[in-house]
Amino acid sequence: MLPFPLARQQTCGLLAAVVQCVDKSWIFHVSLNQLSGTLPSEFGAWRYLSFFHAQYNNLSGSLPPAYCAWMSLDWLDVRDNQLTGTLPPQYSSWSALTIFSAGSNSLRGTLPPTYKNWSALTSFDLSTNNLTGSLPFEYSSLVSLSMFDVSSNNLSGTIPVQYAAWKNIVNVRLDSNSLSGTLPNSLFGGWTFVVDINMRMNRIIGTIPPALLARPALQKLYLGHNMFAGTMPSTIAMSVVLLDLQNNSGLVGTLPFRLMLVTVCGTGVCSTASLPLQYCLPPNAAELTLTQVAPYATTCTPSNEPPQSTATPSAINSTAGNTSSSQQSLARGTRSIGAAVAFA
């Protein structure tokens, strides 16, 4: 069995013309080139293939169902291409698969429930596609998952409570979809190792579950631009450095101040007097830095009622004289933690 490495060679042309008969290869690596054309169904004859890396090219067309014959496949990476079509349910035969990455394409259709058979899977990335339908409850069988990313699609329905079985999950990205319903407290009880959860830009309603904010390893939690309501839970894990709550107009309460950056604009929530400024994410921001949030800072007065409207840039500018000295003081006492900012 031989490897077939051709990564970072600036190779151009059709993929089928570049590759001849390599049916005894176990690694196929052509990432970071300028390859175009479709994925040939004939590649399904590569019986020994374990790693298929074709990311960062200009490949088009659909994912061939014939690839289900790759019974030893461990890692498939075709992200950042121009792939279309639906996800073949036949890929459920990949029982040894650990990493599936097909983000940043134009795939459509639904998430196949048959992928529940990927019992060894640790990383699942289908972000930034055109997928529709709901999150299959059958994926609860993927108990080895550490990363699950289906952000920036058109998914709807609720988040299955069965995902509580993901005992090894570390990173969950469901943002920029149309997910709805409530978040059951029981969903998060077993997520002991989760570090980063992003559910921004959905239609989730109800209260924020206390178990979600109490995850012992949680560092970043994005819940902004949903329809959460009610009083904030009183307990927040000491590990949290970033908490995004903005534009949930029904949320009320007061937050403790620790080493975390909080966005509460468009809510009735305020931090304690230790942090009398509220911070707002720009509408399309995916990460938080002090540079992004400082121009959006405005004073915040604790209230039991949600605000009538979010501060506009002109309103923020009018209060700049009152907040600039506080911002400068905060800026001097900040230190970066990953993509977030923590206040010393």
Side-chain angles (χ1 to χ4, degrees), residues 93-174:
S93 62
W94 294 344
S95 58
L97 191 70
T98 62
I99 298 176
F100 180 77
S101 183
S104 298
N105 281 287
S106 297
L107 297 170
R108 54 182 173 79
T110 60
L111 293 167
T114 56
Y115 292 178
K116 67 180 181 180
N117 294 337
W118 294 349
S119 58
L121 194 72
T122 61
S123 180
F124 184 95
D125 177 14
L126 276 167
S127 60
T128 318
N129 278 286
N130 298 314
L131 299 173
T132 56
S134 60
L135 294 169
F137 72 87
E138 292 89 347
Y139 287 6
S140 61
S141 65
L142 305 178
V143 294
S144 297
L145 267 183
S146 63
M147 194 279 284
F148 184 77
D149 189 349
V150 291
S151 59
S152 300
N153 280 285
N154 299 303
L155 298 171
S156 58
T158 61
I159 301 171
V161 68
Q162 292 89 342
Y163 289 2
W166 291 351
K167 305 297 185 182
N168 296 297
I169 198 69
V170 174
N171 189 311
V172 179
R173 289 205 58 178
L174 306 173

Side-chain angles (χ1 to χ4, degrees), residues 4-320:
F4 187 87
L6 197 63
R8 298 177 181 268
Q9 300 297 313
Q10 298 184 341
T11 305
C12 302
L14 296 174
L15 179 62
V18 172
V19 181
Q20 301 300 321
C21 183
V22 289
D23 63 338
K24 292 186 178 181
S25 291
W26 60 280
I27 295 178
F28 182 77
H29 199 344
V30 294
S31 61
L32 293 159
N33 283 291
Q34 300 176 41
L35 296 172
S36 59
T38 61
L39 293 169
S41 295
E42 291 78 9
F43 288 5
W46 297 350
R47 296 169 295 167
Y48 304 104
L49 195 69
S50 293
F51 301 93
F52 186 89
H53 292 185
Q55 66 269 31
Y56 300 109
N57 279 289
N58 298 308
L59 300 173
S60 58
S62 59
L63 292 167
Y67 292 0
C68 68
W70 294 343
M71 304 303 292
S72 299
L73 189 66
D74 179 275
W75 186 342
L76 181 131
D77 195 339
V78 291
R79 68 184 187 274
D80 285 274
N81 278 287
Q82 301 170 23
L83 298 175
T84 57
T86 60
L87 294 163
Q90 296 92 333
Y91 289 177
S92 61
S93 62
W94 294 344
S95 58
L97 191 70
T98 62
I99 298 176
F100 180 77
S101 183
S104 298
N105 281 287
S106 297
L107 297 170
R108 54 182 173 79
T110 60
L111 293 167
T114 56
Y115 292 178
K116 67 180 181 180
N117 294 337
W118 294 349
S119 58
L121 194 72
T122 61
S123 180
F124 184 95
D125 177 14
L126 276 167
S127 60
T128 318
N129 278 286
N130 298 314
L131 299 173
T132 56
S134 60
L135 294 169
F137 72 87
E138 292 89 347
Y139 287 6
S140 61
S141 65
L142 305 178
V143 294
S144 297
L145 267 183
S146 63
M147 194 279 284
F148 184 77
D149 189 349
V150 291
S151 59
S152 300
N153 280 285
N154 299 303
L155 298 171
S156 58
T158 61
I159 301 171
V161 68
Q162 292 89 342
Y163 289 2
W166 291 351
K167 305 297 185 182
N168 296 297
I169 198 69
V170 174
N171 189 311
V172 179
R173 289 205 58 178
L174 306 173
D175 49 295
S176 301
N177 280 288
S178 297
L179 299 172
S180 58
T182 60
L183 297 180
N185 199 55
S186 58
L187 172 61
F188 306 101
W191 290 13
T192 305
F193 305 108
V194 70
V195 171
D196 191 339
I197 301 175
N198 195 330
M199 298 182 182
R200 294 188 89 231
M201 306 292 290
N202 279 290
R203 301 173 182 175
I204 304 172
I205 62 173
T207 58
I208 295 177
L212 174 57
L213 287 169
R215 295 305 83 217
L218 185 64
Q219 295 182 16
K220 294 187 286 184
L221 177 60
Y222 295 86
L223 298 176
H225 294 272
N226 279 285
M227 293 182 280
F228 289 108
T231 303
M232 284 294 301
S234 58
T235 301
I236 299 177
M238 293 295 294
S239 56
V240 174
V241 295
L242 186 155
L243 180 59
D244 167 34
L245 300 172
Q246 76 178 65
N247 291 91
N248 287 285
S249 61
L251 280 179
V252 296
T254 301
L255 294 175
F257 170 66
R258 297 197 192 98
L259 295 179
M260 63 180 179
L261 178 60
V262 183
T263 68
V264 293
C265 51
T267 74
V269 177
C270 270
S271 300
T272 63
S274 300
L275 184 61
L277 296 178
Q278 65 169 332
Y279 289 83
C280 303
L281 272 168
N284 297 321
E287 300 285 354
L288 273 178
T289 66
L290 190 63
T291 302
Q292 285 180 308
V293 297
Y296 295 82
T298 184
T299 56
C300 180
T301 303
S303 171
N304 292 325
E305 298 296 331
Q308 297 301 312
S309 62
T310 303
T312 62
S314 59
I316 292 170
N317 291 336
S318 68
T319 62

